Amino acid sequence: MLGRRQIREKVVQTVYSYYQNPVKFDVLEKNMFAGIEKIYYLYIYQLNFLVGLKDLAEHQIEIGKNKYLKTDSDINPNQKFINNQVLLKLEENPERLFFTGQHKQLKWDMHDDLLVKTFQRITAGKRYQDFMKEEGFSFEEDQKFIGKLFLRYIAENDDFHDYLGDKELSWYDDIHIANSMVQKTIGFLREDEESRTLIKMIKDEEDKTFAGKLLRDTLNNWENNEKKLGERLENWDLERVSLMDKVILSTAIAELDNFALTPSRVIINEYIEIAKVFATDRSNIFINGILDKYCKDQNRI
């Protein structure tokens, strides 16, 4: 599990969507959990992209072996990439295999244009060429290489983001979450352990209850929380506060009021980070100031 921040993000997104297009609460909650589930689909889709790169590399080697006029590299191909220990563990992961088997649309076709172009960019790059020249095999080096490869050619690839957004609209907003899940998965792998369990967005019923309750508390107390916000504005009108800032603050206040066991500083820090994702550049400073003042007024520890 990634932690509660990603669940808080989905609650914030859901509240924001509600004030753009109000629907019944049960529909809203159902849509929120469906959105959370779609992040797992995206996560598997990205892992499958890494495995697809390995499959494509193997295919290229087979093409070279079957050439009529072979070069030395065709006869003795460099197999360091296809034998990368991290890629092998991801390829063999039973949870990935099972889920992909159940959802075949998450499997990448070897001839997919984006997969082929990304592979070509990778193999033309200095990092890949230096990696392939290195002698010997080290799990740590394999892990570091795949981590950097994922960051450079997938997580930071605008073409990849656009492709995902066209495929599933919600993925464009959630790709940063799936990126973190993939990066953590790569980092969690160990040389002497099987790769068996992947990361879940919702770990258990406690997480699900937290998400539902936070959503309900935020919506039920919206007007009251707006009033609390307005009372703490200095030289600023409530009407001038953006909807997204209101949503983030109202959700944070709802959590501060209704989840007493979570320290206030933890909650404030979480919503500051959420503001960095969804709001303007200065929103995190504004949100920090309001929430800090609210906690002091309430003697909230």
Side-chain angles (χ1 to χ4, degrees):
M1 187 194 70
L2 276 178
R4 291 285 173 94
R5 181 181 303 163
Q6 286 71 32
I7 295 175
R8 292 179 175 100
E9 280 192 22
K10 294 308 294 181
V11 173
V12 165
Q13 285 181 320
T14 304
V15 174
Y16 184 81
S17 72
Y18 174 80
Y19 283 100
Q20 296 279 5
N21 181 31
V23 296
K24 291 182 178 179
F25 179 80
D26 57 343
V27 175
L28 189 70
E29 185 180 47
K30 181 180 178 181
N31 289 343
M32 179 179 72
F33 285 116
I36 290 173
E37 185 178 0
K38 285 178 182 177
I39 297 175
Y40 188 78
Y41 282 63
L42 173 56
Y43 167 55
I44 296 295
Y45 199 45
Q46 288 183 303
L47 291 178
N48 286 348
F49 191 83
L50 289 172
V51 174
L53 292 172
K54 177 182 178 297
D55 291 342
L56 186 54
E58 289 178 323
H59 182 64
Q60 294 292 324
I61 289 174
E62 287 302 312
I63 290 175
K65 288 180 178 178
N66 292 321
K67 285 181 180 177
Y68 181 72
L69 296 174
K70 300 181 180 67
T71 64
D72 288 341
S73 61
D74 293 327
I75 298 170
N76 297 298
N78 187 335
Q79 300 189 37
K80 189 167 185 181
F81 182 73
I82 66 172
N83 287 328
N84 183 285
Q85 296 169 79
V86 169
L87 291 181
L88 289 171
K89 283 183 179 292
L90 293 178
E91 182 180 42
E92 297 165 359
N93 182 277
E95 190 171 330
R96 184 197 67 81
L97 287 167
F98 176 78
F99 198 82
T100 303
Q102 297 292 309
H103 306 278
K104 290 185 169 49
Q105 75 274 19
L106 300 179
K107 183 177 174 61
W108 288 83
D109 186 283
M110 195 180 301
H111 304 291
D112 185 278
D113 190 52
L114 180 62
L115 185 72
V116 173
K117 285 184 177 179
T118 303
F119 179 73
Q120 290 171 344
R121 286 182 60 204
I122 289 170
T123 54
K126 185 176 184 301
R127 179 173 288 124
Y128 175 88
Q129 293 174 9
D130 288 346
F131 174 77
M132 296 298 279
K133 290 175 185 175
E134 293 173 1
E135 295 184 1
F137 293 86
S138 159
F139 185 84
E140 289 74 19
E141 288 302 315
D142 281 359
Q143 194 172 40
K144 184 186 298 184
F145 173 72
I146 295 301
K148 290 181 177 179
L149 180 148
F150 173 77
L151 188 64
R152 173 69 178 84
Y153 295 100
I154 300 176
E156 297 177 352
N157 185 342
D158 290 338
D159 290 340
F160 194 82
H161 294 187
D162 291 340
Y163 180 92
L164 294 176
D166 290 342
K167 203 167 185 66
E168 173 61 56
L169 187 60
S170 66
W171 281 356
Y172 200 88
D173 291 330
D174 295 328
I175 191 168
H176 67 285
I177 299 177
N179 286 343
S180 295
M181 294 169 75
V182 174
Q183 287 175 299
K184 285 180 181 290
T185 299
I186 293 170
F188 287 158
L189 293 174
R190 295 293 177 266
E191 182 175 10
D192 55 352
E193 296 176 8
E194 286 186 42
S195 169
R196 302 198 63 83
T197 305
L198 301 182
I199 296 172
K200 296 289 195 300
M201 273 292 295
I202 296 287
K203 181 182 67 173
D204 51 28
E205 279 301 314
E206 185 177 342
D207 276 351
K208 190 171 184 179
T209 300
F210 170 79
K213 177 173 169 51
L214 183 57
L215 178 63
R216 187 178 295 104
D217 289 341
T218 302
L219 293 175
N220 288 345
N221 295 286
W222 179 265
E223 291 183 3
N224 191 31
N225 289 344
E226 265 198 324
K227 183 180 177 182
K228 293 175 182 178
L229 168 58
E231 291 170 349
R232 288 161 180 84
L233 290 174
E234 295 181 4
N235 303 317
W236 199 259
D237 294 329
L238 184 61
E239 291 73 22
R240 296 177 66 187
V241 178
S242 72
L243 176 58
M244 179 54 78
D245 284 356
K246 283 183 185 178
V247 168
I248 294 171
L249 284 163
S250 185
T251 309
I253 291 171
E255 185 169 354
L256 287 165
D257 287 349
N258 297 286
F259 294 84
L261 295 180
T262 307
S264 62
R265 196 67 246 172
V266 170
I267 294 174
I268 292 173
N269 287 340
E270 291 284 85
Y271 287 96
I272 288 172
E273 293 304 315
I274 290 171
K276 291 177 182 178
V277 175
F278 295 122
T280 63
D281 291 340
R282 293 188 58 81
S283 288
N284 57 308
I285 299 171
F286 170 64
I287 285 166
N288 182 33
I290 295 292
L291 294 179
D292 187 61
K293 184 172 176 53
Y294 181 73
C295 288
K296 288 176 180 176
D297 292 344
Q298 301 296 313
N299 292 318
R300 175 66 157 84
I301 299 174

